[in-house]
Amino acid sequence: SVRVTITEGMTLTQIFKKLEANGVCSFDDLMKTAESYDYSYYPLIAARPSNTRAFKLEGYLFPNTYDFYKNEKPQDAIGRFLRVGEKYITSQDRAKARAMGYSMDQILTVASIIEKEGANPNEVRKIAAVIYNRLEAGMQLQMDSGIYYIERSVKPYIGEEQADKYDEFYNTYDRKGLPAGPITNSGIEAINAALNPADTEYYFFVTDNDGNYYFAKTYREHLENCKTAGVGQ
Protein backbone atom coordinates (compact mmCIF):
# COMPACT_ATOMS: atom_id res chain seq x y z
CA SER A 1 0.00 0.00 0.00
CA VAL A 2 0.97 3.63 -0.33
CA ARG A 3 -0.18 6.74 1.53
CA VAL A 4 -0.89 9.82 -0.61
CA THR A 5 -1.82 13.30 0.60
CA ILE A 6 -4.05 15.36 -1.68
CA THR A 7 -3.91 19.04 -0.80
CA GLU A 8 -6.61 21.68 -1.13
CA GLY A 9 -6.83 23.28 -4.54
CA MET A 10 -5.42 20.39 -6.57
CA THR A 11 -7.25 19.81 -9.84
CA LEU A 12 -8.42 16.42 -11.06
CA THR A 13 -5.49 16.11 -13.47
CA GLN A 14 -2.97 17.05 -10.76
CA ILE A 15 -4.48 14.44 -8.42
CA PHE A 16 -4.40 11.71 -11.06
CA LYS A 17 -0.80 12.53 -11.94
CA LYS A 18 0.13 12.25 -8.26
CA LEU A 19 -1.60 8.86 -8.01
CA GLU A 20 0.30 7.66 -11.08
CA ALA A 21 3.59 8.92 -9.61
CA ASN A 22 2.88 6.87 -6.48
CA GLY A 23 2.15 3.69 -8.40
CA VAL A 24 -1.59 3.61 -7.65
CA CYS A 25 -3.02 3.66 -11.20
CA SER A 26 -2.02 5.02 -14.57
CA PHE A 27 -3.08 8.57 -15.36
CA ASP A 28 -4.81 7.48 -18.57
CA ASP A 29 -6.83 4.76 -16.81
CA LEU A 30 -7.94 7.20 -14.12
CA MET A 31 -8.98 9.79 -16.70
CA LYS A 32 -10.98 7.24 -18.72
CA THR A 33 -12.65 5.78 -15.63
CA ALA A 34 -13.58 9.19 -14.21
CA GLU A 35 -15.49 9.97 -17.40
CA SER A 36 -17.07 6.59 -18.09
CA TYR A 37 -17.72 4.81 -14.78
CA ASP A 38 -21.17 5.15 -13.23
CA TYR A 39 -20.73 6.62 -9.74
CA SER A 40 -24.36 7.67 -9.37
CA TYR A 41 -24.79 5.48 -6.28
CA TYR A 42 -23.04 8.31 -4.42
CA PRO A 43 -25.72 10.93 -3.62
CA LEU A 44 -23.46 13.92 -4.37
CA ILE A 45 -22.69 12.53 -7.81
CA ALA A 46 -26.31 11.57 -8.46
CA ALA A 47 -27.38 15.14 -7.70
CA ARG A 48 -24.75 16.71 -9.95
CA PRO A 49 -26.28 18.20 -13.10
CA SER A 50 -25.33 16.70 -16.46
CA ASN A 51 -24.42 20.05 -17.98
CA THR A 52 -21.39 20.59 -20.17
CA ARG A 53 -18.26 20.56 -18.03
CA ALA A 54 -14.67 19.66 -18.77
CA PHE A 55 -14.35 16.77 -16.31
CA LYS A 56 -17.32 15.08 -14.63
CA LEU A 57 -15.65 14.57 -11.23
CA GLU A 58 -13.80 17.89 -10.88
CA GLY A 59 -14.67 19.27 -7.46
CA TYR A 60 -15.62 15.87 -6.01
CA LEU A 61 -12.15 14.45 -5.27
CA PHE A 62 -11.89 15.63 -1.70
CA PRO A 63 -8.50 16.63 -0.29
CA ASN A 64 -7.31 14.29 2.45
CA THR A 65 -4.63 11.70 3.19
CA TYR A 66 -5.50 8.35 1.63
CA ASP A 67 -4.14 4.82 1.75
CA PHE A 68 -4.18 3.10 -1.65
CA TYR A 69 -3.04 -0.26 -2.92
CA LYS A 70 -0.34 -0.29 -5.56
CA ASN A 71 -1.85 -1.00 -8.99
CA GLU A 72 -5.35 -0.53 -7.59
CA LYS A 73 -8.36 -0.63 -9.89
CA PRO A 74 -8.99 2.97 -11.03
CA GLN A 75 -12.71 2.81 -10.15
CA ASP A 76 -11.80 1.80 -6.59
CA ALA A 77 -9.16 4.52 -6.22
CA ILE A 78 -11.62 7.18 -7.35
CA GLY A 79 -14.31 5.69 -5.13
CA ARG A 80 -12.16 6.40 -2.07
CA PHE A 81 -12.40 10.12 -2.80
CA LEU A 82 -16.13 10.01 -3.34
CA ARG A 83 -16.78 8.13 -0.09
CA VAL A 84 -14.86 10.75 1.86
CA GLY A 85 -16.87 13.43 0.06
CA GLU A 86 -20.11 11.94 1.30
CA LYS A 87 -18.79 12.32 4.88
CA TYR A 88 -17.18 15.70 4.16
CA ILE A 89 -20.45 17.27 3.01
CA THR A 90 -22.84 16.84 5.93
CA SER A 91 -26.63 16.79 5.86
CA GLN A 92 -26.50 20.22 7.51
CA ASP A 93 -24.31 21.50 4.65
CA ARG A 94 -26.75 20.18 2.08
CA ALA A 95 -29.69 21.73 3.91
CA LYS A 96 -27.84 25.05 4.16
CA ALA A 97 -27.19 25.03 0.40
CA ARG A 98 -30.89 24.44 -0.29
CA ALA A 99 -31.85 27.25 2.10
CA MET A 100 -29.49 29.58 0.22
CA GLY A 101 -31.17 28.64 -3.08
CA TYR A 102 -28.14 26.82 -4.49
CA SER A 103 -27.39 23.23 -5.36
CA MET A 104 -24.46 21.52 -3.68
CA ASP A 105 -22.74 21.45 -7.06
CA GLN A 106 -23.04 25.24 -7.24
CA ILE A 107 -21.69 25.55 -3.70
CA LEU A 108 -18.70 23.40 -4.67
CA THR A 109 -18.21 25.59 -7.74
CA VAL A 110 -18.22 28.74 -5.60
CA ALA A 111 -15.83 27.04 -3.16
CA SER A 112 -13.47 26.16 -6.02
CA ILE A 113 -13.33 29.80 -7.12
CA ILE A 114 -12.66 30.86 -3.53
CA GLU A 115 -9.90 28.22 -3.34
CA LYS A 116 -8.16 29.76 -6.35
CA GLU A 117 -8.88 33.43 -5.59
CA GLY A 118 -8.44 33.39 -1.82
CA ALA A 119 -4.87 32.77 -0.70
CA ASN A 120 -5.56 34.46 2.67
CA PRO A 121 -7.91 32.37 4.85
CA ASN A 122 -8.98 35.53 6.69
CA GLU A 123 -10.51 36.91 3.50
CA VAL A 124 -12.33 33.90 2.03
CA ARG A 125 -15.76 34.76 3.46
CA LYS A 126 -15.51 38.25 1.93
CA ILE A 127 -14.56 36.74 -1.41
CA ALA A 128 -17.61 34.50 -1.13
CA ALA A 129 -19.72 37.59 -0.48
CA VAL A 130 -18.37 39.27 -3.64
CA ILE A 131 -19.24 36.18 -5.70
CA TYR A 132 -22.80 35.95 -4.38
CA ASN A 133 -23.39 39.71 -4.56
CA ARG A 134 -22.34 39.75 -8.21
CA LEU A 135 -24.45 36.68 -9.02
CA GLU A 136 -27.53 38.16 -7.38
CA ALA A 137 -27.01 41.48 -9.18
CA GLY A 138 -26.79 39.70 -12.54
CA MET A 139 -23.18 40.80 -12.99
CA GLN A 140 -20.46 38.73 -14.62
CA LEU A 141 -18.00 37.35 -12.08
CA GLN A 142 -15.01 38.46 -14.20
CA MET A 143 -12.49 36.33 -12.33
CA ASP A 144 -9.35 34.96 -13.96
CA SER A 145 -9.47 31.56 -12.27
CA GLY A 146 -11.91 30.07 -14.78
CA ILE A 147 -9.66 31.03 -17.71
CA TYR A 148 -6.59 29.65 -15.95
CA TYR A 149 -8.42 26.40 -15.32
CA ILE A 150 -9.09 25.78 -19.01
CA GLU A 151 -5.62 26.88 -20.11
CA ARG A 152 -3.62 25.03 -17.44
CA SER A 153 -5.74 22.08 -16.33
CA VAL A 154 -7.88 21.14 -19.33
CA LYS A 155 -6.25 22.00 -22.66
CA PRO A 156 -2.93 20.22 -21.93
CA TYR A 157 -4.81 16.97 -21.35
CA ILE A 158 -7.61 16.84 -23.91
CA GLY A 159 -6.11 18.92 -26.69
CA GLU A 160 -6.56 22.59 -27.47
CA GLU A 161 -9.04 22.08 -30.31
CA GLN A 162 -11.36 19.91 -28.21
CA ALA A 163 -10.94 22.11 -25.14
CA ASP A 164 -11.80 25.31 -27.03
CA LYS A 165 -15.48 24.41 -26.80
CA TYR A 166 -15.26 24.73 -23.02
CA ASP A 167 -13.99 28.31 -23.05
CA GLU A 168 -17.49 29.75 -23.10
CA PHE A 169 -18.52 27.60 -20.14
CA TYR A 170 -15.68 28.72 -17.85
CA ASN A 171 -14.75 32.23 -19.00
CA THR A 172 -16.61 34.42 -16.49
CA TYR A 173 -15.71 37.54 -18.45
CA ASP A 174 -17.88 36.28 -21.30
CA ARG A 175 -20.69 34.50 -19.45
CA LYS A 176 -23.01 35.44 -16.65
CA GLY A 177 -23.32 33.18 -13.67
CA LEU A 178 -21.01 30.49 -12.39
CA PRO A 179 -18.68 28.37 -14.50
CA ALA A 180 -20.16 25.08 -15.73
CA GLY A 181 -18.72 23.27 -12.72
CA PRO A 182 -15.98 23.37 -10.09
CA ILE A 183 -12.52 24.40 -11.26
CA THR A 184 -10.59 22.56 -8.56
CA ASN A 185 -11.11 20.32 -5.54
CA SER A 186 -11.75 22.45 -2.48
CA GLY A 187 -10.86 22.04 1.15
CA ILE A 188 -13.23 22.47 4.04
CA GLU A 189 -12.32 26.14 4.65
CA ALA A 190 -13.35 27.17 1.14
CA ILE A 191 -16.52 25.06 1.32
CA ASN A 192 -17.44 26.61 4.67
CA ALA A 193 -16.84 30.07 3.22
CA ALA A 194 -19.13 29.26 0.29
CA LEU A 195 -21.81 28.17 2.75
CA ASN A 196 -21.23 31.10 5.13
CA PRO A 197 -20.34 34.23 3.16
CA ALA A 198 -19.65 37.46 5.00
CA ASP A 199 -22.50 39.95 5.20
CA THR A 200 -21.09 42.73 3.05
CA GLU A 201 -22.06 44.94 0.11
CA TYR A 202 -18.76 44.35 -1.68
CA TYR A 203 -18.81 43.73 -5.43
CA PHE A 204 -15.09 44.03 -6.20
CA PHE A 205 -11.74 42.98 -4.83
CA VAL A 206 -8.11 43.17 -5.86
CA THR A 207 -4.86 41.91 -4.33
CA ASP A 208 -1.38 43.37 -4.29
CA ASN A 209 1.97 41.60 -4.58
CA ASP A 210 2.16 41.22 -0.80
CA GLY A 211 -1.10 39.29 -0.63
CA ASN A 212 -3.20 42.14 0.78
CA TYR A 213 -6.85 42.23 -0.27
CA TYR A 214 -8.78 45.43 -1.06
CA PHE A 215 -12.57 45.24 -1.24
CA ALA A 216 -14.95 47.81 -2.70
CA LYS A 217 -18.66 48.46 -3.06
CA THR A 218 -18.42 50.58 -6.21
CA TYR A 219 -16.34 50.45 -9.37
CA ARG A 220 -14.91 53.89 -8.56
CA GLU A 221 -13.70 52.62 -5.19
CA HIS A 222 -12.32 49.55 -6.93
CA LEU A 223 -10.28 51.70 -9.32
CA GLU A 224 -8.78 53.53 -6.33
CA ASN A 225 -7.97 50.19 -4.73
CA CYS A 226 -6.28 49.06 -7.92
CA LYS A 227 -4.04 52.12 -7.77
CA THR A 228 -3.24 51.39 -4.13
CA ALA A 229 -2.49 47.76 -4.95
CA GLY A 230 -0.35 48.76 -7.93
CA VAL A 231 -2.55 46.83 -10.35
CA GLY A 232 -3.65 48.14 -13.73
CA GLN A 233 -7.40 48.03 -14.44
Side-chain angles (χ1 to χ4, degrees), residues 135-164:
L135 288 173
E136 289 168 14
M139 300 169 67
Q140 293 172 317
L141 292 184
Q142 296 185 328
M143 295 182 182
D144 295 336
S145 48
I147 298 171
Y148 293 153
Y149 173 65
I150 291 296
E151 293 298 324
R152 299 171 183 175
S153 298
V154 177
K155 286 185 179 180
Y157 301 100
I158 67 174
E160 187 162 345
E161 184 175 339
Q162 185 181 352
D164 280 343

Side-chain angles (χ1 to χ4, degrees), residues 175-204:
R175 65 180 278 132
K176 285 187 177 181
L178 291 168
I183 59 174
T184 193
N185 297 279
S186 304
I188 195 64
E189 285 188 357
I191 294 170
N192 283 340
L195 288 166
N196 301 280
D199 184 12
T200 78
E201 296 179 1
Y202 295 137
Y203 289 88
F204 305 90

Side-chain angles (χ1 to χ4, degrees), residues 12-23:
L12 177 142
T13 50
Q14 289 174 325
I15 291 171
F16 288 171
K17 281 200 166 291
K18 189 166 187 176
L19 293 187
E20 181 180 65
N22 281 273

Side-chain angles (χ1 to χ4, degrees), residues 21 54-56 70 105 116 118 124 145 164 195 197 201 213 224:
F55 300 125
K56 290 180 180 178
K70 292 270 190 172
D105 186 72
K116 289 302 186 182
V124 290
S145 48
D164 280 343
L195 288 166
E201 296 179 1
Y213 283 72
E224 290 301 317

Side-chain angles (χ1 to χ4, degrees), residues 34-231:
E35 292 303 302
S36 62
Y37 196 82
D38 182 7
Y39 287 106
S40 61
Y41 47 88
Y42 292 103
L44 280 174
I45 301 302
R48 184 205 56 202
S50 58
N51 62 335
T52 304
R53 59 183 68 201
F55 300 125
K56 290 180 180 178
L57 298 183
E58 192 77 83
Y60 292 85
L61 306 178
F62 286 83
N64 210 326
T65 297
Y66 295 88
D67 290 317
F68 297 95
Y69 294 111
K70 292 270 190 172
N71 300 310
E72 188 165 342
K73 290 181 180 179
Q75 62 266 33
D76 293 341
I78 292 170
R80 293 179 189 274
F81 293 101
L82 304 183
R83 283 195 296 276
V84 168
E86 293 296 336
K87 296 178 182 177
Y88 226 112
I89 304 297
T90 66
S91 57
Q92 291 87 348
D93 292 335
R94 300 173 208 223
K96 180 68 181 295
R98 289 193 296 271
M100 293 170 67
Y102 289 90
S103 68
M104 203 63 229
D105 186 72
Q106 290 173 316
I107 294 294
L108 291 175
T109 302
V110 171
S112 72
I113 298 171
I114 295 168
E115 194 74 68
K116 289 302 186 182
E117 300 279 350
N120 185 338
N122 295 321
E123 306 290 5
V124 290
R125 292 183 63 234
K126 292 180 187 174
I127 295 170
V130 170
I131 293 170
Y132 288 121
N133 287 344
R134 293 180 75 92
L135 288 173
E136 289 168 14
M139 300 169 67
Q140 293 172 317
L141 292 184
Q142 296 185 328
M143 295 182 182
D144 295 336
S145 48
I147 298 171
Y148 293 153
Y149 173 65
I150 291 296
E151 293 298 324
R152 299 171 183 175
S153 298
V154 177
K155 286 185 179 180
Y157 301 100
I158 67 174
E160 187 162 345
E161 184 175 339
Q162 185 181 352
D164 280 343
K165 68 180 182 181
Y166 292 111
D167 283 337
E168 66 178 292
F169 299 110
Y170 289 88
N171 187 336
T172 58
Y173 287 87
D174 290 340
R175 65 180 278 132
K176 285 187 177 181
L178 291 168
I183 59 174
T184 193
N185 297 279
S186 304
I188 195 64
E189 285 188 357
I191 294 170
N192 283 340
L195 288 166
N196 301 280
D199 184 12
T200 78
E201 296 179 1
Y202 295 137
Y203 289 88
F204 305 90
F205 72 90
V206 66
T207 60
D208 63 20
N209 290 332
D210 296 322
N212 298 307
Y213 283 72
Y214 304 86
F215 294 86
K217 296 179 183 179
T218 68
Y219 186 61
R220 179 174 292 182
E221 290 173 353
H222 177 59
L223 291 178
E224 290 301 317
N225 285 343
C226 288
K227 290 180 184 177
T228 303
V231 176

